Amino acid sequence: MALPRVVLISGTSHTGKSSTAALLAEALRYTCRSTDQLARHPGRPWRTAGREVPDHVAEHYASLPVEDLLASVLDHYDRLAPRIRGLVTAHLAGAGAGGGLVLEGSALRPSLIRGLIGPRVVAVRLVATPDVLAARIREESAGGVRTAAERHLADQFLARTTGFQDLMDAEGAGLGRIDTSSRSPAEVADLAREALPISPAA
């Protein structure tokens, strides 16, 4: 049986998609890409080394209720869906460099993944418990949150993140999932290889 040419790794923010995809792509000798490279929704609302939070990002998280934050990101993913389908289709046709593609991103929601899965496309969804998501987000944002207003932005991001995972849980019946809560990226990548009908490239 021919190896799948595309592996899709889905999940909400801070479930370990990027690290897992990179390790899996390295093991399979596949190209690794993120849906964030196609178009990025307002990013993480805390400062990092050399980067302040843009005004429009701070306003986005400060001014919208969580329901509207979730609706906004879902609308963004809906707009991305044709580009994702086009990328996968092109890679299946041989347009991608190298042997195969590992594509990761929150935009790969189950309602989209289900329509792409086939003999040459496989998928797995990464999840984490709400308390683990909260701990990861608070750890990452700790150095960039100094005021109550900044903490509010991070809390809004967390609420949107867990809300999106709940929505994906509702959509994702029947799709493979891996809980990353107590596992390292290497362990998750190994589990993904075991769960998917793939083998290392020759």
Side-chain angles (χ1 to χ4, degrees):
M1 182 178 68
L3 290 176
R5 186 168 174 83
V6 179
V7 179
L8 305 173
I9 299 182
S10 167
T12 197
S13 180
H14 288 79
T15 51
K17 299 183 303 298
S18 298
S19 299
T20 299
L23 289 167
L24 188 59
E26 181 180 9
L28 297 171
R29 297 203 286 274
Y30 280 10
T31 299
C32 185
R33 290 195 62 179
S34 170
T35 58
D36 285 348
Q37 295 169 339
L38 301 177
R40 191 169 180 85
H41 194 259
R44 299 174 182 183
W46 52 82
R47 70 171 62 86
T48 58
R51 174 192 173 273
E52 293 294 320
V53 179
D55 290 343
H56 74 279
V57 173
E59 181 179 359
H60 178 77
Y61 287 100
S63 63
L64 295 178
V66 173
E67 295 78 10
D68 289 350
L69 292 175
L70 185 56
S72 175
V73 78
L74 291 177
D75 182 62
H76 171 68
Y77 294 156
D78 284 345
R79 292 195 303 270
L80 271 187
R83 298 182 64 184
I84 292 170
R85 285 192 291 267
L87 174 63
V88 171
T89 299
H91 209 90
L92 290 175
L101 171 69
V102 177
L103 180 64
E104 64 87 8
S106 297
L108 301 174
R109 53 187 290 196
S111 57
L112 172 61
I113 287 175
R114 191 171 279 105
L116 295 173
I117 292 173
R120 306 300 306 278
V121 182
V122 294
V124 67
R125 184 165 64 92
L126 306 187
V127 301
T129 60
D131 60 317
V132 168
L133 290 175
R136 290 174 179 173
I137 288 171
R138 294 195 190 287
E139 179 180 5
E140 182 182 309
S141 65
V145 172
R146 301 171 188 165
T147 68
E150 290 172 335
R151 171 50 57 199
H152 174 67
L153 300 184
D155 288 344
Q156 289 281 89
F157 180 89
L158 170 59
R160 192 200 74 181
T161 296
T162 55
F164 183 61
Q165 179 164 269
D166 289 343
L167 182 146
M168 294 179 82
D169 282 340
E171 288 186 353
L175 295 179
R177 67 197 292 274
I178 298 173
D179 192 331
T180 69
S181 299
S182 59
R183 297 183 170 107
S184 70
E187 291 172 323
V188 175
D190 285 344
L191 284 173
R193 285 180 58 184
E194 293 170 6
L196 302 172
I198 53 182
S199 300

